[in-house]
Amino acid sequence: MTQENRCVTIPRKMSRRQAGRFFIEAVLDALQMRPAELSALTGHAPTTVSRYRAGKRVPTMGFVLDLIDEAPNAGFAVDQVAPRLGHPWRGAKDPSGHRNFAEFFFTIRVMAGLKRNQFAIRLGLTIDCVREIERGVLPDEALIRRFVRTFLRPDYSKRDVIAAFSQLRPDERARELRDKFFEFQDLAKGDPSRKSMENAIIEECVPMAQRIASAVAWRYRRPELAEEIWGLGLVQAVRDHDPRRGFLPGYLKARIRGLARGAIWSRMQSGVGTALRDYGFAVREAEEFLLQDFGRSPSEFEVAQHLDVPVEVVREVAQAFVASDVLYTEHLDLLMQDVIDMSLASREREGGDSNLVRRLRRLSGVDQELLYLFYFDQFTISEIAEVTRSSEADVSSGLKWALARLCSEDT
């Protein structure tokens, strides 16, 4: 079946997680499979597939590619599914339009209508090698040359491809560091020389880490963070870096940026938790009751009178809402990057999730859905109301409370 004949599409008025649930159910129905069988087909863990199906996680691009490789007639097209799941799909032969070489590599394969084994034969590779490159392992120059000669000429040259991706044209320092990583990572973990080489790399990269930390701290208008984050960021980067997937400077920058975001969020605790824990629910219930009774928003005095508490208590809760709303509105880019775009290494390392991510996971499913819809999928209040089948007033109130609970340490 050709890509043009595939007919399963995901409705537009869905969040990423709703789209993921719809996608998994459509695939299971098209293939007449149970989740365990889909897990075996794609090579992804049964718990992972179950989380996709329950809407607790969004299917990754790797999962989509594995599925289309194993079941090309499942009834969907990558160019339709990927964007609805939040994954970029440019579908272009021009390398300059892609974020990285891995994305470009699998795009060309899918556009050519080839499975991984067919693509591997054309390039003289193994299937595992193709899969690794699609997941971020960098190719050598000989492979880039074959790739260009087989699939891109005469439109694009090897020079065009290398110019499009900075990861393929590192400077001499980055190359030397990568060679050192390959050398010490080949040593056994108990070998004293391995630790010695690791320490030498850390010492050598101190000035680089300090420069990156200073630039990142100034970008977030928190220059005082630079001294706090450069050392830990450097140690973590050297410990977790995989030289097959790139070069240390870029990875070090990502780790330091993540630490800066975490430090910023940890300092955004302004006593909101106590007020919300003790009186938040009661104030919310009173506001909703009086709104229906009066036909207008009640004043702080009216809410306090209804609850028989001092008006200062209601005012404190209101100020907590304002504080949390301002904090999160001013730093939404940090919020969604920290929650959604955490590095794979951070996720795999035990205890690697930030406090913010842990608090998000403790929120109810309704609160999480509202935050994702509004801040990540960028739906309007009216669109969220349509998707969730709620009133716009309920959506607005729910967002306010979800933000406040996310800001609270007592979530």
Side-chain angles (χ1 to χ4, degrees):
M1 183 183 295
T2 64
Q3 185 165 317
E4 291 74 18
N5 292 331
R6 295 170 184 163
C7 56
V8 174
T9 57
I10 300 175
R12 293 188 59 82
K13 293 294 184 180
M14 283 188 174
S15 69
R16 295 169 69 242
R17 291 190 295 160
Q18 288 175 326
R21 289 197 297 265
F22 182 93
F23 171 61
I24 294 298
E25 291 294 346
V27 168
L28 290 171
D29 182 63
L31 298 179
Q32 294 294 297
M33 283 185 173
R34 298 190 302 273
E37 295 171 321
L38 182 62
S39 169
L41 178 71
T42 59
H44 291 249
T47 53
T48 299
V49 175
S50 296
R51 289 175 68 84
Y52 293 160
R53 191 183 186 196
K56 295 181 179 179
R57 287 182 58 188
V58 178
T60 63
M61 192 64 183
F63 177 84
V64 174
L65 293 173
D66 290 339
L67 178 60
I68 196 173
D69 194 57
E70 297 297 333
N73 297 328
F76 70 91
V78 175
D79 61 338
Q80 295 176 9
V81 171
R84 298 301 305 127
L85 298 179
H87 307 305
W89 175 260
R90 290 166 177 82
K93 200 174 180 181
D94 182 358
S96 64
H98 297 266
R99 297 179 305 167
N100 52 58
F101 184 80
E103 178 186 296
F104 179 55
F105 190 74
F106 69 65
T107 297
I108 295 299
R109 176 176 71 81
V110 173
M111 289 177 63
L114 298 175
K115 296 181 65 176
R116 285 192 182 120
N117 61 342
Q118 298 168 323
F119 200 60
I121 292 172
R122 296 281 296 274
L123 292 174
L125 303 173
T126 64
I127 296 178
D128 287 341
C129 185
V130 170
R131 184 180 290 107
E132 287 181 345
I133 293 173
E134 291 183 351
R135 294 178 178 176
V137 173
L138 294 182
D140 57 28
E141 289 198 15
L143 175 55
I144 296 174
R145 189 180 301 111
R146 291 200 303 274
F147 174 66
V148 170
R149 185 174 61 245
T150 306
F151 294 102
L152 301 181
R153 283 186 177 176
D155 301 315
Y156 300 98
S157 65
K158 174 188 168 186
R159 179 179 299 178
D160 295 327
V161 172
I162 293 177
F165 306 111
S166 59
Q167 60 188 157
L168 300 181
R169 41 185 173 81
D171 58 25
E172 190 61 31
R173 177 78 181 285
R175 290 180 184 275
E176 291 175 359
L177 284 171
R178 192 185 193 208
D179 291 340
K180 290 181 180 179
F181 268 96
F182 277 123
E183 184 178 350
F184 94 74
Q185 287 188 352
D186 284 339
L187 300 173
K189 289 195 174 181
D191 191 329
S193 59
R194 176 188 173 104
K195 187 62 178 178
S196 176
M197 290 184 68
E198 184 176 331
N199 290 338
I201 291 176
I202 291 175
E203 184 176 351
E204 180 182 349
C205 294
V206 166
M208 181 196 306
Q210 290 174 329
R211 287 196 303 271
I212 293 173
S214 179
V216 169
W218 275 103
R219 176 191 173 193
Y220 293 145
R221 298 180 179 85
R222 301 289 194 280
E224 71 280 2
L225 288 179
E227 282 299 315
E228 178 182 335
I229 61 179
W230 74 262
L232 180 58
L234 176 57
V235 171
Q236 290 180 346
V238 172
R239 181 188 64 193
D240 296 334
H241 178 52
D242 182 353
R244 300 179 310 147
R245 296 179 179 273
F247 298 86
L248 181 64
Y251 186 65
L252 176 60
K253 184 175 182 180
R255 295 310 299 264
I256 289 177
R257 188 186 299 121
L259 286 174
R261 292 198 299 266
I264 290 171
W265 283 114
S266 68
R267 295 177 184 183
M268 285 184 177
Q269 308 307 319
S270 56
V272 173
T274 302
L276 295 180
R277 180 192 62 206
D278 294 342
Y279 296 103
F281 181 77
V283 170
R284 180 184 185 183
E285 291 291 302
E287 283 181 343
E288 293 179 351
F289 175 81
L290 294 175
L291 175 64
Q292 304 223 354
D293 193 29
F294 296 163
R296 58 174 174 80
S297 296
S299 67
E300 292 175 354
F301 176 79
E302 289 168 333
V303 173
Q305 191 176 40
H306 179 79
L307 294 174
D308 194 21
V309 298
V311 70
E312 289 77 12
V313 171
V314 178
R315 186 171 296 120
E316 185 179 357
V317 173
Q319 289 171 348
F321 283 134
V322 172
S324 64
D325 193 35
V326 169
L327 286 174
Y328 284 90
T329 301
E330 288 180 349
H331 299 280
L332 289 182
D333 57 330
L334 301 183
L335 169 67
M336 299 323 296
Q337 287 180 54
D338 202 23
V339 172
I340 298 170
D341 296 330
M342 293 183 64
S343 70
L344 180 62
S346 295
R347 288 182 181 275
E348 290 179 344
R349 193 175 65 253
E350 184 177 0
D353 286 350
S354 70
N355 289 332
L356 175 63
V357 174
R358 286 193 289 272
R359 291 203 300 275
L360 178 74
R361 289 174 177 170
R362 287 199 293 266
L363 294 179
S364 69
V366 173
D367 285 347
Q368 290 186 36
E369 189 75 13
L370 286 174
L371 291 172
Y372 273 92
L373 285 169
F374 189 72
Y375 291 117
F376 186 76
D377 294 323
Q378 296 185 342
F379 278 31
T380 65
I381 295 293
S382 59
E383 288 174 333
I384 296 175
E386 182 180 348
V387 169
T388 60
R389 298 180 182 177
S390 305
S391 69
E392 292 186 18
D394 286 342
V395 170
S396 180
S397 175
L399 272 170
K400 179 177 72 173
W401 279 89
L403 281 170
R405 280 191 285 266
L406 183 60
C407 189
S408 170
E409 289 183 332
D410 299 303
T411 298

